[in-house]
Amino acid sequence: MPQFDPTYFAPQLVWLGITFLALYLLMSKLILPRINGIFAQREDRIDGNLQRAEALKEEAAQVLAAYQKAIADARAQAQGALAKAAADIAAETAAREAEFGRKMADQTAAAEAGIRTAKAQALADVRGVAAEVAGMMAGKLVGAPADAGAVVQAVDSVMKERAR
Amino acid sequence: MAEAHSPLAQFEIHPLGGPIHIGGLDVSFTNSALWMVLAVAGITAFMLLGTRKQAIVPGRWQSLCEGMYDFVSGLLKENVGNEGRKYFPFVFSLFMFILFCNLFGLLPGAFTVTSHIVVTAALALFVFFMVTIIGVVRHGLHFFSYFVPQGAPVWLLPLMIPIEVLSYFIRPLSLSVRLFANMVAGHVMLTVIGGFVFALGIWAGWVPLAFVTVIFGLELLIACLQAYVFTILTCIYLHDAIHLH
């Protein structure tokens, strides 16, 4: 067998040493660091993406919180505005009612005063006419003009009795 | 191809160009050296071109390169643990070198570097001495407790220790002969059965041709398997040197 021919033992061993050393150096200095680099890069990328996803998630949560706060604020504001409008309306209504009431009271008072003066006027007129009629009637009956002061007094006493 | 080749002719070594001598040492560049250089060039090209894009998401070729890396790195991690990490470039080079020499040897007309006992023995002895030195440097004299089996009865020790020592020193022999014999046997078988194809001619030659096709597939498997076996045994020896059992 050619395998046991020692003629070419030496060159085989020498070239095995040279080529294997070259291979070892190529692998350890070039190829394996290169693949390590690829793995490291990949890991970095994955970590980076995970971090970015985390950041995005946080941002989304913040946006959601801001949105919910805005909604709550808007609702509170709307309720405030609504309450204020209701209060305004109530105040206006109350003010108008009060004014209306006052006007009515004034008018009532004025009317009552008018009625009172008219009544007093009427009573006074009645008293004068009654006194005149009574005086005339007494003069016709007696034939002589009656005492005016006595007639007025008599009419007054009768009117007081009737007014009771 | 009609010339009557001996099945062993494929293992013959001849210098390419002229013989070269340096200081009495024959360093002629032979066909064996050529295929060693081709294997190294092939491995480097394969790994370099495969990873040229350095893609985050690897393509098919880059996946293959990364797979090689992961495969050897996994072997080392499983068998040696994290202490084996610093021997990774060596173990990776060893695996790739044997794998590519075995596979290139299957190319038609190629020379199989690993079919020579000198080469496999040199690799095996290198592994053997490396592992022994690592063991002695790590554990000092305590390393030799490796030869004393734990839990064996004392009266058995005179028998057990020589067996352990013998099995330790026989490692480079079994390691080198296993690879060498597998390569030689495979190539002889391919050549012999391949010879029958011509001998039986166009009518009956189909039968050995079918055989040789099947056996070629088997040889591809063996080429990979033997590289794997050499590598995993190296890892196991490294484990023994680092952990002592």
Side-chain angles (χ1 to χ4, degrees):
Chain A
M1 280 176 92
Q3 280 91 336
F4 301 113
D5 172 13
T7 320
Y8 289 111
F9 278 5
Q12 282 193 84
L13 290 174
V14 168
W15 282 100
L16 176 65
I18 293 168
T19 51
F20 194 80
L21 185 69
L23 179 67
Y24 178 80
L25 290 176
L26 280 168
M27 293 300 121
S28 62
K29 300 281 179 247
L30 180 64
I31 303 295
L32 299 178
R34 196 180 164 99
I35 297 179
N36 273 329
I38 293 172
F39 286 167
Q41 203 182 332
R42 187 170 304 159
E43 214 160 287
D44 281 359
R45 177 77 163 268
I46 290 169
D47 284 354
N49 282 353
L50 281 178
Q51 273 171 6
R52 219 168 57 202
E54 198 97 336
L56 284 176
K57 197 175 146 193
E58 213 160 284
E59 202 182 302
Q62 278 174 0
V63 167
L64 182 65
Y67 167 75
Q68 280 173 339
K69 191 175 169 295
I71 291 267
D73 283 356
R75 191 167 290 157
Q77 212 175 337
Q79 273 172 348
L82 211 61
K84 190 170 167 294
D88 282 355
I89 289 166
E92 174 106 22
T93 311
R96 279 191 189 174
E97 257 172 19
E99 199 185 338
F100 182 71
R102 205 164 51 241
K103 223 184 249 176
M104 288 308 276
D106 284 356
Q107 278 177 1
T108 311
E112 272 172 357
I115 290 167
R116 248 193 321 274
T117 50
K119 192 175 169 188
Q121 186 70 46
L123 277 174
D125 287 355
V126 165
R127 183 166 159 256
V129 170
E132 205 175 318
V133 169
M136 276 166 69
M137 279 174 74
K140 283 260 163 104
L141 280 175
V142 178
D147 180 24
V151 173
V152 168
Q153 215 177 347
V155 170
D156 278 352
S157 67
V158 172
M159 280 180 75
K160 251 180 208 156
E161 213 168 292
R162 289 283 165 88
R164 216 177 282 165
Chain B
M1 291 301 278
E3 42 193 320
H5 268 308
S6 148
L8 294 177
Q10 59 180 321
F11 302 119
E12 271 166 15
I13 291 181
H14 45 85
L16 306 169
I20 311 167
H21 289 267
I22 297 175
L25 187 67
D26 185 3
V27 294
S28 310
F29 191 79
T30 60
N31 51 346
S32 166
L34 172 70
W35 285 97
M36 289 178 192
V37 170
L38 286 176
V40 171
I43 294 162
T44 308
F46 173 75
M47 298 302 284
L48 212 54
L49 294 177
T51 58
R52 72 192 179 284
K53 285 183 201 153
Q54 313 218 3
I56 296 291
V57 179
R60 273 175 294 188
W61 195 350
Q62 190 178 324
S63 289
L64 209 56
C65 294
E66 287 177 13
M68 290 286 186
Y69 181 106
D70 282 338
F71 176 68
V72 179
S73 137
L75 273 185
L76 203 59
K77 196 171 185 115
E78 255 172 54
N79 290 290
V80 190
N82 285 325
E83 298 94 328
R85 192 68 209 163
K86 58 179 158 180
Y87 308 112
F88 176 60
F90 172 74
V91 176
F92 186 78
S93 304
L94 189 68
F95 174 72
M96 293 302 272
F97 187 75
I98 296 172
L99 180 68
F100 270 67
C101 286
N102 291 355
L103 288 176
F104 278 6
L106 286 171
L107 293 173
F111 177 83
T112 314
V113 173
T114 41
S115 69
H116 273 252
I117 187 77
V118 196
V119 172
T120 60
L123 289 173
L125 281 169
F126 186 85
V127 168
F128 175 76
F129 282 116
M130 183 186 87
V131 159
T132 308
I133 290 166
I134 288 168
V136 172
V137 168
R138 264 185 173 259
H139 302 289
L141 286 177
H142 189 66
F143 174 70
F144 295 99
S145 73
Y146 176 75
F147 299 115
V148 185
Q150 282 166 344
V154 177
W155 59 269
L156 256 179
L157 286 184
L159 186 64
M160 296 291 275
I161 290 172
I163 290 175
E164 287 285 331
V165 171
L166 187 69
S167 77
Y168 188 79
F169 283 92
I170 217 147
R171 278 174 175 185
L173 188 69
S174 66
L175 202 54
S176 56
V177 169
R178 184 182 300 111
L179 179 56
F180 156 72
N182 268 288
M183 288 303 114
V184 169
H187 284 87
V188 167
M189 192 153 63
L190 283 177
T191 317
V192 167
I193 300 177
F196 287 159
V197 178
F198 289 99
L200 294 180
I202 192 91
W203 299 114
W206 298 103
V207 180
L209 185 65
F211 263 109
V212 97
T213 308
V214 171
I215 287 169
F216 188 83
L218 188 71
E219 285 307 314
L220 277 175
L221 179 73
I222 287 175
C224 300
L225 193 69
Q226 287 306 317
Y228 167 71
V229 167
F230 203 101
T231 311
I232 198 167
L233 283 172
T234 303
C235 289
I236 289 168
Y237 297 162
L238 266 174
H239 165 90
D240 287 347
I242 289 170
H243 301 290
L244 298 181
H245 289 288

